[in-house]
Amino acid sequence: MAQRLDYNQIAPGGAKALGGVYGYILQSGLPAELVDLVYLRVSQINNCAYCLDMHSRDLVKKGVTVEKLALVQAWEEGGSLFSATERAALAWAESVTRVAETGVPDADYAAARAVFDEKQLVDLTIAISLMNSYNRMAISFRNTPQAALEH
């Protein structure tokens, strides 16, 4: 599948704005591995091959095991591989990403608030929203995953 266009070249200001949000998340105080797990789960839901490849590689570089990576999609059944904080973040990511289906119910909010303080939850939601934006850009314009370029 060929890339349709390079949005970074065509709209550098827009790409820079998204990059600014990405930079904000890096500085937010949320654990980097947690954010990357959320980015991976959002990308799984949206079926974004480019982002799946990138975030899987990022997690491997951070020392996440193959077993844990393989179970991100089924994190609820992953037992002790996922901490309570990771499970709460992944559940929130699913609810927010599927907003059209879920409406992000009060029970999901309450479960997330039981683990995250207000700022952490807002920052996590910004991260989820950012990844949904990046997924839509990559899918719409057919960004090629690095793994596909290597073969």
Side-chain angles (χ1 to χ4, degrees):
M1 186 168 11
Q3 184 176 23
R4 290 177 171 164
L5 56 81
D6 183 347
Y7 54 83
N8 291 304
Q9 294 294 320
I10 294 168
K16 184 178 178 183
L18 287 173
V21 177
Y22 183 82
Y24 171 81
I25 295 303
L26 289 174
Q27 301 298 317
S28 71
L30 291 172
E33 184 178 317
L34 177 76
V35 171
D36 280 332
L37 284 171
V38 165
Y39 286 167
L40 181 61
R41 184 64 191 121
V42 169
S43 298
Q44 288 173 336
I45 293 166
N46 291 324
N47 202 31
C48 181
Y50 178 83
C51 297
L52 287 167
D53 180 60
M54 180 173 48
H55 299 299
S56 294
R57 289 170 187 268
D58 290 345
L59 286 160
V60 166
K61 287 176 191 169
K62 287 182 171 82
V64 174
T65 64
V66 171
E67 293 80 9
K68 187 170 184 174
L69 273 178
L71 290 178
V72 170
Q73 188 168 354
W75 60 267
E76 290 177 281
E77 299 169 32
S80 62
L81 279 175
F82 298 93
S83 70
T85 302
E86 290 169 339
R87 288 192 302 273
L90 292 166
W92 184 246
E94 289 181 3
S95 188
V96 171
T97 297
R98 294 181 170 134
V99 65
E101 300 164 33
T102 69
V104 190
D106 290 341
D108 291 359
Y109 173 77
R113 279 292 284 129
V115 175
F116 298 105
D117 67 29
E118 289 178 345
K119 182 172 184 319
Q120 290 171 326
L121 190 57
V122 170
D123 288 345
L124 182 60
T125 307
I126 291 169
I128 294 162
S129 301
L130 175 66
M131 191 47 47
N132 274 287
S133 293
Y134 274 134
N135 289 168
R136 281 149 179 78
M137 297 297 286
I139 293 166
S140 297
F141 300 118
R142 304 290 191 258
N143 283 10
T144 305
Q146 183 178 338
L149 295 172
E150 294 171 353
H151 294 280

